[in-house]
Amino acid sequence: MINAHGLAGFSMRALAKALGQQPGALYWHIRDKQTLLAAVAQRLLASIPHDPEESLLDVVTAFRVQLRELTDGAEIVLSSIAMGFNLDQLHARFVAAAERDGRELNEARTLATTLVHHCLGHVMHEQQCAQTRRLGLHQGAGDSASVAITADDETFQQSVRLICGT
């Protein structure tokens, strides 16, 4: 439902209707919409492929790919973080990969946090641009400045290398 209508078109009422239930029935199972979205975020992040020997670039790239799988995935994850739901397992993967790349623990933690934020912001921008294009609202078609900040896969990977200093 989120992929079809985006976060703006998702509501508990619409979900109940799609399930053939009364809206109040959902609240016997889920406290509120944000709790449901946090569960969606956790499930999304849990499905990121994992390789114990992955590089930091591999972890960041897998995170980005997974966020892009769900319409408004970055916004859903960001709102879940803001509500206090944690990304401990994902963050630990970033930290472990940074340590494998030779970083000290404190530096690895800071780098991991920086890369999570960078990836979330990047994907949120990508998803918002895609939505404005779908709606015919994008104003920057053909504008070189617009193209410069709408990064492709290679530009994203270059930005990660710059942050990592590699």
Side-chain angles (χ1 to χ4, degrees):
M1 177 176 261
I2 293 171
N3 269 338
H5 304 288
L7 193 52
F10 177 77
S11 68
M12 295 295 275
R13 183 173 301 281
L15 178 61
K17 184 177 180 180
L19 295 172
Q21 300 293 317
Q22 294 296 318
L26 294 179
Y27 295 101
W28 283 98
H29 306 283
I30 301 289
R31 188 177 73 208
D32 54 30
K33 178 181 173 180
Q34 204 55 44
T35 302
L36 177 60
L37 291 174
V40 169
Q42 291 294 332
R43 184 171 217 166
L44 178 73
L45 298 177
S47 62
I48 298 172
H50 184 266
D51 173 1
E53 297 303 314
E54 63 199 350
S55 72
L56 192 51
L57 182 58
D58 292 337
V59 177
V60 176
T61 301
F63 180 44
R64 178 174 174 247
V65 166
Q66 200 60 33
L67 287 172
R68 292 170 65 184
E69 287 294 313
L70 180 64
T71 301
D72 298 327
E75 186 176 352
I76 291 168
V77 171
L78 275 168
S79 66
S80 297
I81 294 168
M83 287 195 55
F85 295 96
N86 70 57
L87 297 179
D88 289 349
Q89 290 180 322
L90 178 67
H91 193 264
R93 282 179 62 186
F94 276 75
V95 171
E99 287 182 306
R100 279 192 299 279
D101 288 350
R103 309 290 176 139
E104 300 275 335
L105 180 59
N106 285 337
E107 182 182 0
R109 287 179 177 155
T110 301
L111 183 57
T113 299
T114 301
L115 288 171
V116 166
H117 287 147
H118 173 68
C119 190
L120 285 165
H122 191 280
V123 173
M124 190 166 203
H125 179 170
E126 288 180 287
Q127 290 179 327
Q128 287 177 342
C129 286
Q131 182 176 3
T132 59
R133 284 188 181 94
R134 274 192 309 276
L135 297 172
L137 301 173
H138 188 70
Q139 301 295 313
D143 178 80
S144 62
S146 174
V147 173
I149 40 183
T150 303
D152 58 15
D153 293 342
E154 182 57 31
T155 305
F156 176 76
Q157 291 183 357
Q158 287 175 348
S159 69
V160 171
R161 287 186 196 100
L162 281 170
I163 291 169
C164 293
T166 57

